[in-house]
Amino acid sequence: MSAVAGSGSLPIARLTIQPFVGADVRDLRALAAALTARVGELAVAPPAELPRSAFDARRGQYRAERLLDLLESREHEHVLGVTAADLYAGGLNFVFGIATPAGRKALVSLARLGMGTDRAGYAARMLKEAVHELGHTLGLGHCADARCVMRFSNSLADTDAKGDSLCARCRKRLESREALA
Ligand SMILES: [Zn+2]
Ligand SMILES: [Zn+2]
């Protein structure tokens, strides 16, 4: 059992960022730099092709679940897919990201995160959406705390309004999950 140290850190021993072709190298560097303080080891894999089978030509979007399925995570490793493509899932027009609940795979789309903001705002949104999806992989659901990173974002305004860390209650939930594991 590892303690959940620091307000921003996540109990993830090893995280691989798996970019899809089209994700900007500068964006990936910024995201990796922001995440490195939050997890144990962090690596960035070479970009993977975006599978045509996940593309919906009528919508011009990729199906998030399909991309998530294609991500591979080795044992004891979390994987975070990062794509510049716009994603949809289920009945939602678009999603900022998706994750396997209490699993090891998460996926974020950068497609909408740069809208109406500057470089710093964009970087902040990338980090929040990545931490949010990783939170789901750790078994956390959505949180009602307005500042908590696990608050659901339905819009960029929601993303901007929340923080990039877990609230005290979510941290407690994680600690009790780990104690049970
Ligand atoms: Zn969520
Ligand atoms: Zn919370």
Side-chain angles (χ1 to χ4, degrees):
M1 180 184 129
S2 59
V4 182
S7 65
S9 70
L10 299 167
I12 291 176
R14 189 176 159 73
L15 175 67
T16 296
I17 294 178
Q18 174 62 71
F20 285 97
V21 169
D24 186 273
V25 173
R26 197 164 64 126
D27 294 346
L28 292 168
R29 276 205 204 110
L31 181 58
L35 280 173
T36 197
R38 312 258 179 152
V39 299
E41 281 175 57
L42 184 140
V44 182
E49 291 293 332
L50 272 167
R52 295 295 301 174
S53 63
F55 187 64
D56 185 320
R58 194 176 49 83
R59 309 177 64 123
Q61 290 174 302
Y62 282 79
R63 193 152 63 87
E65 296 97 331
R66 177 86 184 118
L67 284 192
L68 189 68
D69 277 350
L70 289 167
L71 290 172
E72 284 177 36
S73 81
R74 285 167 293 174
E75 212 173 338
H76 306 306
E77 176 200 60
H78 279 71
V79 61
L80 173 68
V82 180
T83 180
D86 198 28
L87 303 176
Y88 75 99
L92 301 170
N93 296 338
F94 74 90
V95 289
F96 294 127
I98 189 172
T100 52
R104 292 198 301 269
K105 301 199 279 188
L107 172 69
V108 290
S109 165
L110 308 182
R112 296 171 187 255
L113 301 185
M115 293 175 184
T117 190
D118 58 10
R119 187 78 207 160
Y122 178 45
R125 288 170 178 173
M126 281 195 279
L127 177 63
K128 289 174 189 178
E129 292 307 325
V131 171
H132 180 93
E133 297 307 333
L134 290 170
H136 284 317
T137 70
L138 297 170
L140 292 173
H142 287 148
C143 180
D145 187 312
R147 294 288 303 150
C148 181
V149 73
M150 292 314 295
R151 175 114 174 175
F152 175 66
S153 295
N154 198 30
S155 67
L156 291 170
D158 293 340
T159 305
D160 290 339
K162 70 185 178 182
D164 60 20
S165 295
L166 300 174
C167 71
R169 194 176 297 173
C170 285
R171 277 206 303 282
K172 266 226 141 62
R173 281 190 198 115
L174 271 191
E175 281 163 14
S176 53
R177 279 187 61 89
E178 287 189 31
L180 290 172

